[in-house]
Amino acid sequence: MSRIVVTGANGKTGRVVVADLLEHGHEVVATDAVGPAGHLSIPELGVPLLVADLTEYGQAFEVLQGAEAVVHLANIPAPGMYTPATTFNRNTAMNANVFLAAQAAGLGRVVWSSSETTLGLPFDTPPRYAPVDEEHFPLPTTTYALSKVVGETLAREISGWSGIPFVGLRLSNVHVPADYAAVPGYWADPHARKWNLWGYVDARDVAQACRLALTATVRGATSYVIAAADTVMDRPSADLIREVFPGVPLTRELGEFETLLAIDRARDVLGYAPAHSWRDHVAP
């Protein structure tokens, strides 16, 4: 059993990650800026919630004391929620503070949420090729994406200074089962979700990726696309590319509904195997 700090633990993804780590025998310190005052239990979280503002270095350092690793999910989760400068400044401060505190506290591993947006989303400008993989980077188009690109640079440098492995997870659009009822509404207009090549990822598969990243044999700072094995559409993936992005070359033959956000590297290095799909919840 390991003592793992999960930041952003009271969020949509964080709650699922906490549950998965507890199920697999880890001790979890759950922290978030949002929650009841003090060290109080949230019934659905399963552990007490430590309220902390990670934009302050001292608080980041305190929450990491005594831990072996951190799964850092705390950030403003998308562009457009706050002003562009606020999004960049807060995300960058949280990432820098957690990464530097991990070095100071002597943690053995940092797993953190980067983003698919670093790859060029939204694809108003078509991708150079498909499926889009880790090499389609960096192409930030918002300050949110830029904060993640800066985070990956911070991870690389601090990992080099400290020797701590940093694993960045470039998460696709996270869904929980309650979100899947909306999926059939995407099918009529293939342009509606071209912004991320019709990608998504189930929060339970994000939790799997986080857990695997804690023990994977890696060195330095590495990053991986984390998406579902399929798209949100009921049409073949190759047909979608030909219709919506006719000039974009395919780098390989695709499975019928195969994701266009390539997860090959995560499979090969982390052992990531997405087990959940909207197709398990909604009849196509």
Side-chain angles (χ1 to χ4, degrees):
M1 181 174 67
S2 301
R3 183 178 174 89
I4 311 297
V5 173
V6 178
T7 75
N10 199 28
K12 178 179 182 179
T13 304
R15 294 185 182 206
V16 181
V17 171
V18 168
D20 181 84
L21 290 173
L22 291 172
E23 181 182 343
H24 285 83
H26 295 285
E27 179 185 357
V28 175
V29 177
T31 185
D32 205 307
V34 179
H39 198 75
L40 301 176
S41 294
I42 295 178
E44 60 269 33
L45 199 57
V47 291
L49 182 73
L50 179 63
V51 177
D53 179 1
L54 299 179
T55 64
E56 295 188 11
Y57 174 76
Q59 294 190 45
F61 181 77
E62 284 188 89
V63 300
L64 295 185
Q65 292 304 295
E68 296 174 52
V70 60
V71 176
H72 173 46
L73 306 174
N75 261 193
I76 293 172
M81 298 177 66
Y82 293 83
T83 63
T86 298
T87 299
F88 179 81
N89 291 335
R90 286 179 59 180
N91 282 359
T92 301
M94 282 186 269
N95 294 340
N97 288 341
V98 169
F99 294 175
L100 290 167
Q103 177 185 16
L107 267 62
R109 177 78 45 115
V110 175
V111 177
W112 69 286
S113 58
S114 187
S115 169
E116 64 182 359
T117 61
T118 63
L119 306 174
L121 281 67
F123 286 117
D124 297 326
T125 298
R128 299 191 300 272
Y129 55 84
V132 167
D133 59 13
E134 285 79 6
E135 302 309 315
H136 207 276
F137 170 93
L139 293 171
T141 62
T142 63
T143 60
Y144 170 77
L146 183 58
S147 75
K148 299 296 189 177
V149 170
V150 171
E152 295 203 21
T153 301
L154 288 167
R156 183 178 67 246
E157 299 304 327
I158 296 171
S159 176
W161 302 340
S162 65
I164 299 171
F166 279 67
V167 182
L169 303 178
R170 294 174 182 164
L171 302 181
S172 189
N173 182 207
V174 177
H175 282 53
V176 294
D179 297 325
Y180 291 133
V183 168
Y186 306 150
W187 299 341
D189 180 9
H191 291 265
R193 287 185 63 90
K194 72 175 186 179
W195 57 272
N196 78 335
L197 299 184
W198 310 280
Y200 76 106
V201 64
D202 191 288
R204 292 166 292 183
D205 286 325
V206 174
Q208 175 205 155
C210 291
R211 174 169 39 83
L212 291 169
L214 287 167
T215 57
T217 303
V218 295
R219 299 177 63 185
T222 52
S223 297
Y224 306 88
V225 175
I226 302 297
D230 58 353
T231 72
V232 294
M233 301 297 281
D234 64 344
R235 297 174 50 191
S237 300
D239 292 351
L240 290 168
I241 286 289
R242 281 193 289 265
E243 178 179 342
V244 179
F245 296 111
V248 171
L250 291 174
T251 57
R252 63 168 184 258
E253 186 175 348
L254 296 172
E256 185 176 16
F257 302 116
E258 182 179 343
T259 177
L260 291 159
L261 299 169
I263 56 176
D264 306 70
R265 182 182 292 181
R267 279 183 167 136
D268 292 344
V269 179
L270 304 181
Y272 172 66
H276 300 281
S277 169
W278 64 266
R279 298 169 205 275
D280 302 327
H281 300 265
V282 179

